[in-house]
């Protein structure tokens, strides 16, 4: 990391300092998040250009890392609770938090890239699932429909509604196709904190009663599976895979709530 790039406070610590600020952000903070979100989205897009059979997930990590550094941003995942890389790369049955390494992408794979940038004291977080070469129809539809579930959830966000509207929309759409909806990994509040403590479930949780307000900033990041939503975790403490080892897809944006709906902050 270049020495002139500001690090988040958690780098070099076992865990971040718990966030105690508001979920509703000032216009100045939102403007900073637009910059962070744009850099994260562009870094992910640059890495995605390299996705092809024969490319390693380490190479995708290298590309995103270089882009963020070149634009004055710190890769938020690097050093977060000890995570060793600058993005998460989750292939096929990996639900989330896959660690880039020497894994070689193969024709027919699907791979999720999850990229977060920290700049100006705030974070912008996004992810998307990409097709590698010639992908079977079942996997292609899973990816397409997971993207659509995110789009539908974003449209459902309105001030005055409870946050469980997000999970209700995602789960009802996923059930049309018999997909599982991952429950234990959620969207989250984000601002100067990578994870503020606000939880955004992707299923219809009766406990998600927080009322959505203008100025709130959070992620929506549904994870849909071809089979069960249950999972196993690898010994690395990060990599989460479907228990039945069937494929899974995910998409994510960082949003700010407006007076009438939302603004997506992670657009390239």
């Amino acid at each position: 990391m270049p020495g002139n790039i500001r690090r988040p406070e958690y780098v070099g610590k076992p865990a971040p300092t718990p966030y105690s600020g508001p979920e509703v952000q000032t216009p100045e903070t939102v403007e900073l998040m637009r910059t962070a979100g744009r850099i994260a989205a562009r870094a992910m897009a640059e890495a995605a250009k390299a996705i092809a059979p024969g490319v390693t997930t380490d190479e995708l990590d290298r590309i995103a890392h270089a882009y963020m550094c070149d634009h004055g941003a710190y890769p938020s995942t690097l050093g977060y609770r000890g995570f060793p890389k600058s993005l998460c790369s989750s292939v096929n049955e990996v639900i989330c938090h896959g660690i880039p390494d020497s894994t070689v992408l193969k024709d027919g794979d699907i791979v999720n890239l999850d990229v977060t940038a920290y700049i100006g004291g705030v974070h912008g977080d996004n992810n998307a699932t990409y097709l590698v070469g010639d992908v079977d129809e079942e996997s292609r539809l899973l990816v397409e429909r997971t993207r659509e579930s995110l789009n539908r959830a974003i449209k459902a966000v309105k001030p005055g509604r409870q946050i469980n509207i997000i999970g209700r929309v995602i789960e009802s759409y996923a059930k049309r196709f018999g997909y599982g909806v991952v429950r234990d990994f959620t969207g989250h509040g984000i601002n100067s904190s990578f994870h503020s403590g606000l939880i955004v479930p992707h299923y219809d949780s009766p406990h998600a009663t927080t009322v959505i307000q203008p100025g709130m900033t959070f992620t929506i990041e549904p994870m849909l599976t071809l089979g069960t939503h249950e999972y196993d975790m690898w010994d690395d403490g990060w990599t989460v895979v479907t228990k039945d080892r069937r494929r899974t897809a995910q998409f994510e944006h960082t949003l700010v709530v407006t007076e009438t709906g939302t603004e997506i902050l992670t657009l390239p």
Side-chain angles (χ1 to χ4, degrees):
M1 288 300 305
N4 64 318
I5 293 179
R6 178 179 173 183
R7 274 75 164 155
E9 59 83 23
Y10 52 74
V11 174
K13 296 166 53 179
T17 302
Y19 179 70
S20 59
E23 298 297 344
V24 172
Q25 304 304 309
T26 66
E28 292 76 16
T29 297
V30 172
E31 182 58 32
L32 291 169
M33 291 181 68
R34 287 190 184 97
T35 298
R38 186 164 53 245
I39 292 172
R42 290 176 177 172
M44 185 173 71
E46 284 300 307
K49 289 177 185 177
I51 291 174
V55 174
T56 66
T57 53
D58 252 344
E59 174 63 8
L60 304 178
D61 178 77
R62 184 197 65 78
I63 293 169
H65 178 95
Y67 186 94
M68 285 184 274
C69 290
D70 288 348
H71 291 81
Y74 184 93
S76 300
T77 59
L78 185 61
Y80 179 78
R81 297 184 181 271
F83 192 84
K85 293 299 180 75
S86 296
L87 59 72
C88 300
S89 56
S90 302
V91 182
N92 295 335
E93 73 275 15
V94 179
I95 295 172
C96 58
H97 304 159
I99 301 173
D101 57 14
S102 59
T103 296
V104 176
L105 298 177
K106 302 187 298 296
D107 187 61
D109 284 345
I110 60 174
V111 57
N112 178 274
L113 302 184
D114 192 338
V115 179
T116 310
Y118 177 79
I119 188 171
V122 298
H123 301 266
D125 186 2
N126 69 161
N127 76 54
T129 303
Y130 300 91
L131 310 181
V132 184
D134 186 17
V135 175
D136 66 86
E137 182 75 354
E138 183 179 48
S139 298
R140 187 188 65 76
L141 286 173
L142 173 68
V143 171
E144 180 181 301
R145 290 164 176 167
T146 305
R147 181 190 294 111
E148 176 63 15
S149 77
L150 172 60
N151 293 339
R152 288 175 180 235
I154 291 172
K155 290 176 183 176
V157 174
K158 306 286 184 187
R161 291 180 171 176
Q162 291 184 344
I163 213 158
N164 61 7
I165 187 66
I166 293 167
R168 188 177 308 143
V169 167
I170 291 168
E171 187 172 40
S172 63
Y173 180 71
K175 280 184 173 178
R176 289 168 51 182
F177 310 104
Y179 295 154
V181 181
V182 173
R183 300 166 78 89
D184 289 351
F185 299 91
T186 69
H188 53 89
I190 184 170
N191 38 67
S192 59
S193 173
F194 194 174
H195 299 88
S196 72
L198 175 67
I199 295 173
V200 183
H202 302 122
Y203 64 99
D204 188 4
S205 169
H207 306 294
T209 56
T210 299
V211 176
I212 297 168
Q213 302 176 60
M216 290 177 72
T217 49
F218 53 82
T219 73
I220 305 175
E221 45 188 299
M223 292 152 263
L224 305 187
T225 66
L226 289 175
T228 182
H229 69 272
E230 296 181 350
Y231 65 91
D232 295 318
M233 183 174 286
W234 286 5
D235 290 342
D236 62 21
W238 284 104
T239 307
V240 179
V241 298
T242 54
K243 189 169 281 291
D244 58 10
R245 304 303 190 262
R246 298 195 71 191
R247 289 186 169 187
T248 176
Q250 181 184 17
F251 284 84
E252 174 187 23
H253 276 305
T254 295
L255 314 170
V256 60
V257 180
T258 67
E259 294 294 336
T260 56
T262 63
E263 176 192 345
I264 299 173
L265 299 177
T266 40
L267 292 175

